Amino acid sequence: MLRRAYLAAVALLLFAVPQLAAQDQAAVCENMMQAEVGYWAEFNLEGTSAEDVSSLRFALIERAGETNPNWYEFHAETDQGPVTIQMDVPDWPFEASQVAGMILKAPGQPAMRMPQEMIAMMQAQMGDNPMLDIAEACTTAEGVGQESVSVPAGSFDAFHIREAEENADVWLSEDIPFGVIKVSAPDGTTMELVGYGTDATSGITEEPQTMPGMGGMN
């Protein structure tokens, strides 16, 4: 289940974050690929593809004491409890191959620092270069136009685009960290913004333990 939650969160992030449209679409897409430490955005999920995960929170945080203090974090509220994963990345956006470390906080478990072989497995699941692939898709999405959209976080003037391959509707704003306000998929699944800000801190406050290596390796 944790693997499903992780993949669902990654898939939604990679699909939603960079996909924009409206006038000067290329410039808007480029702007939405910019993010700074402290950015966070939280979304609720409803519908067919959201049976295991009810909400997602994405953030760029600082982990004190690390060689690289700037980490990417996502948090999922799942049907088995909260899951938080943090990734040591060089910058935003990042390629899967650039993830140098991971920390997992699973329901009812201590925070664990993942071994390199598990990180390699996660990198393979994320794909070779997902962020750049989606950035290219952003510039070719169909622009529907500027609209007003209301979500739990409030009402926004947004750019509405339709992603051709998945035929999903996305509403975005340059004023929101990571850019996403709402995503509506053809199967009825929706992802709506419930909160955002620039003051994100680590969702894992305890000192992570070292997870044993796979296959008995340490």
Side-chain angles (χ1 to χ4, degrees), residues 127-139:
D128 293 332
N129 194 351
M131 295 303 295
L132 297 184
D133 288 346
I134 299 301
E136 293 177 358
C138 167
T139 61

Side-chain angles (χ1 to χ4, degrees), residues 15 17-22 25-30 32-33 131-143 161 163 172:
F15 165 72
V17 167
Q19 308 215 9
L20 311 172
Q25 182 172 339
V28 177
C29 290
E30 177 65 23
M32 301 307 295
M33 293 298 287
M131 295 303 295
L132 297 184
D133 288 346
I134 299 301
E136 293 177 358
C138 167
T139 61
T140 60
E142 174 192 354
I161 65 102
E163 196 278 325
L172 308 108

Side-chain angles (χ1 to χ4, degrees), residues 95-160:
E95 299 183 17
S97 61
Q98 294 177 303
V99 175
M102 284 189 185
I103 297 172
L104 167 67
K105 174 68 175 174
Q109 300 295 323
M112 303 293 289
R113 197 178 296 269
M114 296 185 184
Q116 287 300 315
E117 60 267 31
M118 186 172 292
I119 293 173
M121 182 177 67
M122 291 289 193
Q123 288 171 331
Q125 293 170 343
M126 290 171 66
D128 293 332
N129 194 351
M131 295 303 295
L132 297 184
D133 288 346
I134 299 301
E136 293 177 358
C138 167
T139 61
T140 60
E142 174 192 354
V144 178
Q146 188 163 346
E147 299 177 354
S148 177
V149 60
S150 294
V151 293
S155 297
F156 300 88
D157 291 327
F159 293 112
H160 178 189

Side-chain angles (χ1 to χ4, degrees), residues 46 48 65 85 87 90 105 110 139 160 166 169 181-183 201:
E46 296 182 352
T48 305
I85 295 181
M87 300 182 191
K105 174 68 175 174
T139 61
H160 178 189
E166 300 293 336
D169 290 286
I181 297 173
K182 181 178 179 179
V183 178
T201 58

Side-chain angles (χ1 to χ4, degrees), residues 75-87:
H75 175 87
E77 290 293 332
T78 79
D79 58 358
Q80 294 190 18
V83 178
T84 302
I85 295 181
Q86 296 179 343
M87 300 182 191

